[in-house]
């Protein structure tokens, strides 16, 4: 397996005021000011780690634009563009695609099949293998796209029940 580098860049989308209309994972109301403060703290921490943070302006027309991690899976200079929201977030995806190509010079790969669904929040990379949650926004075809993009790593699909994505349920530090 190839060796992995370190994180060099982070892409974040500032919190739009329309974000308060998004349902939270636990059903609680979203506190806009707290969300902005949390994101500012995240950006500050990333910069303290010498990560180059690219901040996109808030998109009031897309309250879910803060979930930018859902739009692409990026590793080893490749960006696999996702189809979150069953394709309903095409403007968010287009923005991420353009930034990853123009600002970071990454090789952009699209999902191989028009019926493939992939949400970046359903993909977890451990450093040695991928786990891909199969559920509401990611199907088997989407998981196969991850496996085909990085064939040097095992890719294990995990059936998900309910609406939460894989990274709402499990993560790594």
């Amino acid at each position: 397996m190839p060796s992995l580098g370190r994180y060099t860049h982070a892409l974040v989308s500032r919190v739009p005021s329309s974000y308060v209309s998004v349902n939270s994972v636990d059903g609680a109301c979203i506190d806009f000011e707290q969300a902005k403060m949390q994101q500012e703290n995240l950006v500050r921490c990333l910069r303290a780690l010498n990560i180059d943070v690219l901040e996109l302006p808030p998109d009031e027309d897309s309250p879910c634009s803060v979930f930018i991690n859902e739009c692409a899976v990026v590793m080893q200079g490749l960006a696999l563009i996702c189809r979150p929201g069953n394709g309903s977030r095409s403007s968010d995806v287009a923005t991420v695609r353009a930034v990853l190509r123009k600002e970071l010079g990454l090789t952009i790969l699209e999902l191989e099949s028009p019926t493939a669904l992939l949400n970046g929040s359903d993909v977890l990379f451990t450093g040695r293998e991928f786990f891909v949650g199969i559920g509401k926004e990611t199907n088997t075809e989407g998981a196969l796209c991850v496996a085909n993009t990085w064939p040097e790593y095992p890719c294990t699909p995990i059936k998900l029940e309910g609406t939460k994505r894989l990274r709402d349920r499990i993560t790594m530090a």
Side-chain angles (χ1 to χ4, degrees):
M1 281 186 209
S3 64
L4 297 175
R6 67 175 203 84
Y7 291 104
T8 59
H9 293 81
L11 182 60
V12 298
S13 178
R14 292 187 189 198
V15 181
S17 58
S18 59
Y19 182 56
V20 298
S21 68
V22 175
N23 292 327
S24 67
V25 172
D26 63 1
C29 293
I30 292 175
D31 181 327
F32 174 66
E33 292 303 322
Q34 182 180 14
K36 280 180 29 179
M37 184 179 65
Q38 289 171 337
Q39 187 179 62
E40 289 166 6
N41 289 336
L42 170 65
V43 168
R44 193 171 21 264
C45 287
L46 290 169
R47 287 190 170 133
L49 294 168
N50 294 317
I51 305 291
D52 185 3
V53 180
L54 303 171
E55 293 184 80
L56 300 177
D59 183 351
E60 293 300 336
D61 293 331
S62 180
C64 288
S65 63
V66 295
F67 303 114
I68 206 161
N69 59 310
E70 297 178 348
C71 297
V73 178
V74 179
M75 190 173 79
Q76 299 174 328
L78 301 176
L80 178 60
I81 302 300
C82 298
R83 202 173 286 136
N86 295 318
S88 67
R89 299 202 26 228
S90 58
S91 66
D92 296 337
V93 171
T95 299
V96 169
R97 179 187 295 110
V99 170
L100 294 176
R101 178 182 292 130
K102 293 176 185 169
E103 299 295 325
L104 299 180
L106 297 178
T107 299
I108 303 298
L109 302 171
E110 302 290 338
L111 294 176
E112 299 162 352
S113 164
T115 58
L117 297 177
L118 183 64
N119 183 311
S121 287
D122 280 327
V123 180
L124 178 67
F125 182 64
T126 68
R128 293 183 178 258
E129 65 187 312
F130 284 97
F131 292 95
V132 181
I134 307 298
K136 180 181 171 193
E137 290 196 29
T138 298
N139 61 14
T140 302
E141 286 181 85
L144 286 171
C145 289
V146 173
N148 292 336
T149 301
W150 294 281
E152 63 274 28
Y153 296 102
C155 183
T156 304
I158 299 173
K159 176 83 170 119
L160 302 177
E161 299 293 330
T163 59
K164 290 183 181 179
R165 294 171 198 50
L166 182 63
R167 286 195 279 172
D168 293 336
R169 302 162 193 252
I170 186 172
T171 193
M172 292 184 55

